[in-house]
């Protein structure tokens, strides 16, 4: 009996030190990799438990000006630590800075890294540099859409569908044939790859509504720039009923409408979720915003990079399922996979 107890206690101790299996992720996988227009299938994705070696990743972002990319950063940091890999992060400083990002891509090739994770500022502006560095290491596209030349894998959702989700939020309130409403549209920086797809999806969905776009303002997604754009529209088109656009625009609009005593008369819809947008929805200041679960996208990009290095890629293109947040469902959906904790600050280097 003593011998059996010894075996039992030893077994329990062994179980206690075994690492817990990584939690599976609920993803959507396009039937045709890198084709956002192809049908998607749900997948319960089992991430790797640990990297085979402490690989070194080079990570490039368009910027870290808003909470969206901060949340992507948080996801990457957490996954790099979990897998036991390191990364160095560089940001281009904004979507107009294509030349800077091209130089950063080239520099990653000179640093003897094991993989590149690229959040592009342009759909195909860096294609030549990507093709060159792909000869040296796997390239993982993250979040923003880009040409698939030289890409090993992609962690992203359809930005066309993100735009469409925002358009449907308007169409549900004002279906075609109902009294017309006026809308101001703030897509983001003109020329950025993701903006083209967001706008395409938004306009297609909006065609099923009675809304009329009476003003369009393109601009960088820094909050300061969006404040200027929103104020310009309100000065020029005071009878507008809706302000629709990027997360920083929606955040800025909440404060501006409050200052002008227009809260409740003019409504706000965002094309994606940030911390300010999330708070705005909970407080009833913003009607709706689709979330593409930026934290999870960051995690997936790092996991795919490790798989690509180790020759273990089974899925080349995946992303979370898009969910439109409203005051009615926001508590049920939560923020864990969409937003970094409020205390999180950008991390440019992870060492393992």
């Amino acid at each position: 009996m003593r011998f059996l107890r010894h075996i039992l206690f030893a077994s329990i101790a062994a179980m206690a030190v075994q690492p817990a299996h990584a939690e599976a992720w609920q993803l959507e996988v396009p039937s045709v990799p890198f084709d956002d227009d192809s049908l998607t299938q749900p997948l319960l994705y089992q991430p790797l438990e640990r990297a085979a070696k402490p690989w070194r990743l080079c990570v490039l972002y368009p910027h870290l000006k808003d909470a969206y990319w901060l949340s992507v950063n948080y996801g990457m940091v957490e996954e790099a630590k979990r897998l036991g890999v390191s990364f160095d992060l560089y940001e281009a400083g904004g979507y107009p800075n294509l030349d800077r990002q091209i130089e950063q891509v080239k520099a990653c090739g000179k640093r003897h890294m094991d993989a590149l994770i690229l959040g592009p500022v342009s759909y195909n502006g860096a294609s030549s540099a990507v093709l060159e560095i792909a000869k040296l290491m796997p390239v993982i596209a993250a979040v923003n859409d880009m040409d698939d030349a030289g890409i090993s894998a992609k962690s992203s959702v359809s930005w066309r569908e993100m735009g469409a989700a925002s358009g449907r939020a308007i169409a549900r309130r004002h279906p075609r044939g109902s009294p017309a409403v006026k809308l101001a549209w703030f897509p983001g920086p003109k020329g950025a790859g993701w903006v083209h797809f967001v706008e395409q999806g938004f306009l297609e969905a909006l065609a099923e509504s009675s809304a009329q776009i009476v003003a369009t303002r393109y601009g960088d997604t820094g909050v300061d720039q969006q404040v200027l754009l929103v104020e310009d529209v309100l000065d020029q088109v005071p009878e507008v009923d809706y302000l629709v656009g990027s997360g920083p625009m929606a955040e800025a609009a909440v404060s501006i409408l409050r200052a002008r005593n227009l809260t409740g008369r003019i409504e706000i819809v965002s094309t994606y979720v940030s911390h300010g947008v999330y708070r705005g929805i909970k407080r009833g200041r913003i009607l709706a915003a689709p979330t593409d679960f930026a934290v999870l996208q960051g995690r997936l990009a790092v996991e795919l990079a490790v798989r690509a290095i180790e020759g273990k890629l089974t899925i080349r293109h995946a992303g979370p399922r898009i969910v439109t947040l409203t005051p009615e469902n926001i508590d049920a959906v939560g923020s864990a996979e969409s937003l970094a904790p409020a205390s999180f600050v950008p991390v440019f280097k992870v060492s393992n």
Side-chain angles (χ1 to χ4, degrees):
M1 189 69 178
R2 186 181 305 163
F3 177 71
L4 291 176
R5 280 201 301 268
H6 176 75
I7 292 176
L8 177 61
F9 293 154
S11 298
I12 292 172
M15 291 171 61
V17 299
Q18 290 298 314
H21 286 293
E23 184 177 347
W25 301 334
Q26 186 63 60
L27 303 179
E28 295 285 321
V29 180
S31 55
V32 180
F34 311 147
D35 182 358
D36 284 338
D37 291 330
S38 65
L39 295 175
T40 61
Q41 295 292 332
L43 172 68
L44 193 61
Y45 182 85
Q46 186 61 54
L48 295 170
E49 295 293 337
R50 193 76 176 170
K53 295 181 180 180
W55 307 114
R56 300 173 64 231
L57 312 179
C58 192
V59 180
L60 303 183
Y61 290 172
H63 62 81
L64 272 165
K65 296 180 183 181
D66 63 37
Y68 181 89
W69 281 99
L70 187 69
S71 297
V72 175
N73 184 222
Y74 172 72
M76 289 191 179
V77 170
E78 291 298 296
E79 189 64 9
K81 290 178 179 178
R82 188 187 72 80
L83 288 173
V85 299
S86 63
F87 72 66
D88 291 329
L89 166 66
Y90 306 89
E91 51 100 13
Y95 285 94
N97 300 331
L98 173 60
D99 289 343
R100 181 182 299 172
Q101 187 166 79
I102 290 173
E103 289 305 312
Q104 290 173 338
V105 170
K106 293 177 179 177
C108 284
K110 298 174 183 177
R111 293 191 180 99
H112 305 293
M113 304 298 236
D114 296 301
L116 167 65
I117 298 176
L118 175 59
V121 301
S122 167
Y123 179 77
N124 56 12
S127 292
S128 295
V130 169
L131 283 169
E132 285 302 309
I133 199 171
K135 299 174 184 177
L136 305 174
M137 65 186 70
V139 179
I140 311 302
V143 182
N144 290 346
D145 200 9
M146 62 183 291
D147 185 79
D148 59 9
I151 300 301
S152 296
K154 182 182 289 188
S155 169
S156 71
V157 304
S158 167
W159 280 92
R160 182 175 175 177
E161 177 57 26
M162 291 287 283
S166 301
R168 286 193 290 268
I170 302 294
R172 281 192 292 268
R173 293 171 65 91
H174 306 281
R176 186 189 296 175
S178 62
V181 292
K182 296 181 179 180
L183 181 151
W185 172 230
F186 303 83
K190 197 173 185 66
W194 65 273
V195 171
H196 168 76
F197 296 109
V198 167
E199 190 160 40
Q200 187 179 41
F202 177 74
L203 295 177
E204 289 171 356
L206 198 69
E208 300 301 317
S209 78
S210 64
Q212 302 171 352
I213 297 179
V214 295
T216 300
R217 298 290 189 274
Y218 294 94
D220 192 62
T221 49
V223 173
D224 291 346
Q225 177 66 22
Q226 294 299 313
V227 166
L228 297 176
L229 297 179
V230 171
E231 290 185 332
D232 179 59
V233 165
L234 295 178
D235 290 341
Q236 299 296 322
V237 194
E239 70 276 14
V240 69
D241 299 301
Y242 285 88
L243 304 175
V244 185
S246 69
M249 184 289 299
E251 293 179 27
V254 169
S255 299
I256 294 170
L257 294 183
R258 183 170 59 242
R260 295 186 178 217
N261 294 317
L262 294 173
T263 300
R265 190 182 80 72
I266 298 176
E267 303 285 7
I268 305 167
V269 173
S270 177
T271 55
Y272 59 87
V273 170
S274 64
H275 293 76
V277 170
Y278 191 89
R279 289 192 300 271
I281 295 173
K282 281 186 70 74
R283 295 170 181 172
R285 299 290 187 262
I286 297 175
L287 284 177
T291 177
D292 56 344
F293 299 97
V295 171
L296 182 52
Q297 283 195 74
R299 286 184 178 275
L300 179 60
V302 171
E303 203 270 354
L304 289 174
V306 172
R307 283 184 178 269
I309 295 166
E310 298 180 2
K312 297 177 181 177
L313 278 176
T314 56
I315 300 295
R316 297 186 65 204
H317 183 191
R321 180 175 66 91
I322 294 168
V323 175
T324 299
L325 298 181
T326 66
E328 291 71 34
N329 71 359
I330 191 167
D331 288 332
V333 176
S335 64
E337 295 296 348
S338 296
L339 301 172
S343 60
F344 181 75
V345 295
V347 175
F348 290 85
K349 189 177 186 66
V350 172
S351 300
N352 272 303

